[in-house]
Amino acid sequence: MSVMYSSITKKIWMSLMGLFLMIFLVVHLGINLLLLFDPTRELFNEVAHFMGTNPVIQMFQWVLFAGFVIHMFLGVVLQIQNWIARPKGYKVKASSEESVFSRYMIHTGIIIFVFLIIHFANFFFKAKVFHSIPEFVLDGTPTGMEDMGILVMKLFELPEYVIGYIIALLVLGFHLDHAFQSAFQSLGINHRKYTPFIKGFGHFYTIVITAGYIIIPLFIYFSK
Amino acid sequence: MDLKLKIWRQAGPDAEGKFVHYPVHNISKDASFLEMMDILNEELVANGEEPVAFDHDCREGICGMCSLYINGHPHGPDDSITTCQLHMRKFKDGETIVIEPWRAKPFPIIKDLMVDRTAFDEIIQAGGYVSINTGGVPDANAIPIKKENADLAMDAAACIGCGACVAACKNASAMLFVSAKVSQFALLPQGRVEAKRRVENMVAKMDELGFGNCTNTYACEAECPKDISIANIARMNREFLMAKIC
């Protein structure tokens, strides 16, 4: 998927991977929200254990990695080509773009990437590489499952982590708000009847995802 | 009206350019923007200075020759018009007007505010036509065409190829122009025959010439003097995808 491929091919792959990652965000949010509904963490840990051990999910994990890598790589390639296409900029900056967020996709993308590295270091690597997560003990009985829930709870008791997480999620929201309708446009889906719905649903999706993820650290922090 | 102009001056394609300040006085608010430029040039010539080079031809908004990036907008602050249709009443007395050339790697500056837009001609040569054998003139009504498609094709064909879309786009992408040209043919039965080859060749040429990639900011649509819709870009993406798959 290098520079050889046409601009539209790159855009189509970019949008397909983006849509795939958006579906993943919904699944991830669904699991995270379990922490709010079950203070014993049993439900969350069971699902986390299932996600971490199920062979189908394990296989999909690599598809997800590939999705992230392709999306980010293409984003960088497209951006570099775009910078090259205008070697000298204007003195008076344009102000005609419809969406403010569309101008800063590479910037929000880089912030999300940095957040992702921190997120991996905090959760994924601890679980998969270092195996440093304590065993989940329910009512004095060891369950044989890792206590992913306690890891989340402990991190969200730190105010600096909560603030950082909220900022990262707001940036993700800015990215998603443009990305949702943009993905459909790149795939050639633009219709006077359906495009207003896609745009509206994109805003709705963005708000639900962003607010959904942000509620969790706030709830944990203020109920500690 | 008295105005302060800040104009990009560049002696030639490889020369170093810079902004030069020119005050202009007693400009009628009913003058067109290009008439105001003419008045400035007459003064410059009278003073033995080099006039400002800028593109123009029909001066009625149909030839696509005029350009100019005025105060951050291709074709100036008004909607749905070209620079030659812009009037000075859109500006305030005493206002500073910054005039820049289209900025894009495939549109090199020839002189001052004139840019070479041959790149668009090359894209058209790559596929923006229908091949028709010579012979008798076919009956215009022999091929039924849906009214909706005829209208959409006509809307796309309104593109005058001025390059404002490239100038407005933060990525210097030519997608609105190319998609308008692809669409005007793709919507009509006569254009379907070569549709696959056309979209592939025109997109390949667009990429080869070094235009940027579309990131769906829709600045092109907002600035287009002919109101070409970004629905054309989606149509081209569809056409391209189907051409590659099928």
Side-chain angles (χ1 to χ4, degrees):
Chain A
M1 207 55 54
S2 71
V3 284
M4 299 151 41
Y5 289 88
S6 85
S7 55
I8 299 182
T9 306
K10 289 199 281 273
K11 285 290 299 173
I12 287 170
W13 275 102
M14 183 87 184
S15 54
L16 286 174
M17 294 304 117
L19 286 172
F20 176 59
L21 297 176
M22 282 189 233
I23 295 168
F24 162 73
L25 280 175
V26 176
V27 176
H28 195 329
L29 176 63
I31 297 168
N32 285 12
L33 284 173
L34 293 176
L35 273 174
L36 302 190
F37 298 113
D38 178 19
T40 65
R41 307 188 301 281
E42 188 187 357
L43 214 53
F44 179 80
N45 283 335
E46 268 181 12
V47 178
H49 183 72
F50 171 78
M51 298 297 280
T53 50
N54 183 283
V56 179
I57 305 278
Q58 291 306 292
M59 200 183 67
F60 249 90
Q61 183 178 282
W62 293 106
V63 179
L64 185 66
F65 275 139
F68 269 116
V69 171
I70 293 170
H71 189 76
M72 289 186 290
F73 176 71
L74 286 178
V76 171
V77 169
L78 288 163
Q79 185 59 60
I80 291 170
Q81 288 181 327
N82 292 346
W83 280 327
I84 293 170
R86 178 166 292 140
K88 183 165 176 54
Y90 293 108
K91 186 179 178 69
V92 182
K93 293 276 168 274
S95 54
S96 53
E97 271 99 334
E98 268 202 326
S99 148
V100 179
F101 303 137
S102 69
R103 289 195 213 176
Y104 304 107
M105 292 305 271
I106 188 72
H107 311 94
T108 49
I110 290 168
I111 294 169
I112 296 163
F113 177 64
V114 171
F115 167 74
L116 216 56
I117 294 171
I118 298 167
H119 197 65
F120 262 61
N122 282 335
F123 298 102
F124 188 82
F125 289 137
K126 279 186 186 168
K128 292 279 182 181
V129 183
F130 303 116
H131 302 288
S132 58
I133 298 169
E135 190 180 350
F136 178 49
V137 181
L138 184 65
D139 301 329
T141 321
T143 57
M145 299 187 295
E146 289 165 324
D147 197 350
M148 289 297 281
I150 198 75
L151 205 63
V152 181
M153 307 284 247
K154 281 202 168 141
L155 270 175
F156 285 157
E157 283 173 5
L158 308 169
E160 64 273 20
Y161 197 85
V162 173
I163 292 167
Y165 187 88
I166 290 171
I167 292 170
L169 262 297
L170 286 174
V171 171
L172 175 69
F174 300 153
H175 197 78
L176 290 175
D177 192 62
H178 171 69
F180 193 91
Q181 55 81 29
S182 179
F184 286 90
Q185 167 79 5
S186 290
L187 291 171
I189 301 164
N190 183 312
H191 192 279
R192 62 196 152 86
K193 222 189 272 176
Y194 308 114
T195 298
F197 171 76
I198 290 171
K199 285 189 175 174
F201 189 79
H203 297 312
F204 170 75
Y205 168 88
T206 303
I207 291 166
V208 167
I209 290 288
T210 313
Y213 277 103
I214 286 176
I215 284 170
I216 299 160
L218 287 178
F219 183 84
I220 293 171
Y221 183 78
F222 288 109
S223 59
K224 71 179 173 182
Chain B
M1 296 173 85
D2 294 336
L3 299 155
K4 295 183 209 94
L5 305 180
K6 241 187 208 178
I7 301 178
W8 181 260
R9 300 301 311 258
Q10 187 172 330
D14 302 318
E16 188 90 355
K18 63 172 195 288
F19 281 96
V20 179
H21 298 239
Y22 296 104
V24 284
H25 306 285
N26 300 322
I27 301 291
S28 162
K29 66 178 173 46
D30 296 324
S32 79
F33 196 84
L34 295 188
E35 281 166 348
M36 183 275 294
M37 293 294 289
D38 292 338
I39 293 166
L40 168 71
N41 276 345
E42 278 174 15
E43 282 176 21
L44 290 176
V45 171
N47 295 335
E49 289 177 58
E50 185 76 10
V52 179
F54 61 91
D55 270 320
H56 61 102
D57 193 1
C58 74
R59 297 208 178 195
E60 30 184 41
I62 53 168
C63 76
M65 211 45 222
C66 61
S67 54
L68 307 186
Y69 192 85
I70 304 159
N71 284 351
H73 294 279
H75 295 299
D78 216 350
D79 291 333
S80 312
I81 57 159
T82 54
T83 297
C84 62
Q85 295 171 298
L86 178 64
H87 284 82
M88 297 314 293
R89 53 181 168 268
K90 281 285 158 187
F91 300 92
K92 292 186 204 84
D93 188 31
E95 191 175 341
T96 300
I97 306 175
V98 183
I99 310 169
E100 302 176 70
W102 282 179
R103 297 274 187 203
K105 191 163 164 272
F107 287 168
I109 293 176
I110 301 168
K111 190 179 178 185
D112 297 336
L113 302 169
M114 284 175 85
V115 296
D116 184 354
R117 284 169 280 181
T118 309
F120 270 11
D121 297 335
E122 288 182 43
I123 294 171
I124 294 293
Q125 284 160 11
Y129 51 80
V130 280
S131 306
I132 296 169
N133 293 330
T134 53
V137 180
D139 182 351
N141 296 319
I143 306 168
I145 298 170
K146 261 170 70 180
K147 173 79 168 76
E148 292 85 351
N149 282 9
D151 287 347
L152 288 171
M154 197 62 203
D155 288 346
C159 168
I160 52 174
C162 63
C165 45
V166 177
C169 175
K170 75 175 180 66
N171 311 320
S173 168
M175 288 283 277
L176 193 67
F177 165 76
V178 182
S179 68
K181 300 302 168 192
V182 163
S183 290
Q184 75 185 49
F185 294 117
L187 284 157
L188 301 175
Q190 295 92 332
R192 290 308 317 166
V193 182
E194 293 162 297
K196 181 177 184 294
R197 197 173 61 191
R198 177 181 305 112
V199 69
E200 285 182 327
N201 290 348
M202 288 180 83
V203 169
K205 181 53 83 177
M206 172 185 82
D207 290 343
E208 181 200 315
L209 290 164
F211 287 102
N213 305 289
C214 177
T215 52
N216 303 326
T217 68
Y218 311 139
C220 53
E221 186 185 50
E223 296 291 356
C224 176
K226 297 294 162 187
D227 296 329
I228 304 294
S229 165
I230 52 109
N232 289 303
I233 297 180
R235 183 178 297 104
M236 179 163 79
N237 291 342
R238 270 198 311 273
E239 288 279 324
F240 186 84
L241 185 60
M242 294 319 286
K244 288 287 176 197
I245 293 172
C246 304

